[in-house]
Each structure stands twice: as structure tokens, then as C-alpha cells.
Amino acid sequence: MSGIGPPEPGEGTHPRDGGRPRDPRPPGRARAALTAWYARRRRIAIALAIAAVALAGGGYLYATRPHRPPPREDRTPTQLPYPAQVVDMTYLDGQATPAGAPPRSFSFAVLLSVASGPPVTVTRVTQPYAGLSLDTEPSAPFRTKSGSARKITITMHVTECEKAPKNAGLPFLDVTLRNTRAIQVQSFILGPRYAQELSRALQVACSNKVG
């Protein structure tokens, strides 16, 4: 027989030791360790995926959470309301003229309220007629806190009947308001009842001229 190398085993040939052909799979202990390693890797991957989903959800909720306005004391002046936006003035009724008031004087009361924002200071109250002047009680300047109201007694003095209106159609008061945002002059029209009572008081005050 010629040729190179050992002869190929013939059909039906078995190993000398009579054993079975080798199993390509790893032994039982190694296979169990490998299975445990894959299971551990799978648990780690699942845990990381859950953590990533939770982190992404938490970040979304944080980014879309409603933002509360800063506390009132921490707001910048541009975040505060203008005083004229939160102040209202309404007519109450006529009042007894204070003792010692000059002749041709009469009094009435208004209610000034501050709805919100920082306190508002009234620095001045005036009226548009040249023949009249006025005083207030309390005297300006005075301060009113947010969420509160203050009764103001206004006493008018007729200085010149010739320049006082014979019939006040739409009388108003000019009120200078100040808060930490701004200083504003606001005109308050106090309504028809105030106009009627002011006209009546002027007629009475100037029916008998003094001086």
C-alpha cells in the first residue's frame, strides 16, 4: 500500500477504549455555571432598562411640573401689579362736617380697597374743580395693606362759588397711588349718587355766600 499519512478508519471503526464519541457540549457543572451567568446578565440588563425608564419618566415629570409663582416678598418689581390695577374706590355716604371746618364745607366718606399685591400708599387726593379744595382723614400719605379696605372721610371746602360747578355731572377724584412697582395717578368716578349729593351740597354751600 502506498500513500502518505495514516490510513482513514473504516466504516464501523470505534475508538480503542470502546467509549462513545465526545459530546461537544460542556460538562454538567460548566453548563450550569454558564446558564447562571446568562441569567445574571439578563437580570442586570432588565434592572438597567427599568432604571432608565424610571429616570426618563422622572425627568419628564420634573420638566413638565407646574411652576408656582415666587413668594410675594421674592418677586421682582416687574412681577408685581401696578397699584391702579388692584385699588378700587367706592362712595359710601355723606358725613357730618368736622368741628372747626371753614364755612361752606361739607364731608362725605369713600372706601378704598386693595385687592392684592404689596401695600399701597395714597400720597395725594385732589378734585378737578378750581373753586374747591379738600382735606382727607386720615391725612395723606397713608398706607393700606393687601386684602384690606380703609374708610376715608373727605371734606370739601368751597373757596370760590363762582368757579364751583352748578351741577356736577361726572365728578371724580384724582388719587396718587404708590407701591413697590410704580407711582400712578388714578381717576375714580364715584357714580351718580355721589354726583347728586355733591351738587346738592354745593348749592347749599353757595346759597348764602360768606365774605
Side-chain angles (χ1 to χ4, degrees):
M1 179 180 296
S2 64
I4 301 174
E8 295 288 334
E11 185 178 353
T13 304
H14 299 285
R16 289 184 180 181
D17 54 6
R20 299 178 182 177
R22 291 186 177 181
D23 192 342
R25 296 176 298 175
R29 183 176 299 176
R31 189 163 55 248
L34 185 61
T35 302
W37 182 80
Y38 277 117
R40 186 166 58 253
R41 288 290 300 274
R42 186 169 180 271
R43 287 196 300 270
I44 293 173
I46 292 174
L48 290 175
I50 293 174
V53 171
L55 183 62
Y60 174 78
L61 292 176
Y62 180 82
T64 58
R65 75 194 189 284
H67 295 278
R68 294 182 178 180
R72 186 170 296 138
E73 61 273 9
D74 293 339
R75 296 186 194 179
T76 61
T78 56
Q79 294 174 302
L80 297 171
Y82 286 97
Q85 294 175 328
V86 296
V87 171
D88 190 26
M89 179 178 282
T90 56
Y91 178 70
L92 293 179
D93 52 25
Q95 298 284 298
T97 304
R104 298 199 298 259
S105 297
F106 54 92
S107 300
F108 57 91
V110 296
L111 186 70
L112 182 138
S113 58
V114 179
S116 61
V120 175
T121 299
V122 173
T123 61
R124 191 182 182 198
V125 180
T126 61
Q127 53 77 46
Y129 303 114
L132 302 177
S133 63
L134 64 80
D135 297 322
T136 64
E137 177 57 42
S139 300
F142 55 86
R143 197 182 199 198
T144 305
K145 294 181 180 179
S146 172
S148 63
R150 180 189 292 271
K151 178 181 176 181
I152 306 168
T153 300
I154 296 177
T155 300
M156 292 274 192
H157 311 290
V158 181
T159 57
E160 295 183 61
C161 286
E162 292 77 8
K163 295 182 179 180
K166 299 297 186 291
N167 186 11
L170 285 175
F172 58 89
L173 295 177
D174 284 331
V175 184
T176 304
L177 306 169
R178 184 185 72 214
N179 69 0
T180 52
R181 174 72 187 268
I183 299 175
Q184 293 180 296
V185 178
Q186 178 74 4
S187 296
F188 292 98
I189 299 175
L190 302 180
R193 190 162 65 92
Y194 169 66
Q196 293 169 5
E197 296 188 10
L198 176 61
S199 296
R200 189 180 306 118
L202 288 171
Q203 291 172 8
V204 171
C206 292
S207 61
N208 295 311
K209 297 182 180 180
V210 177

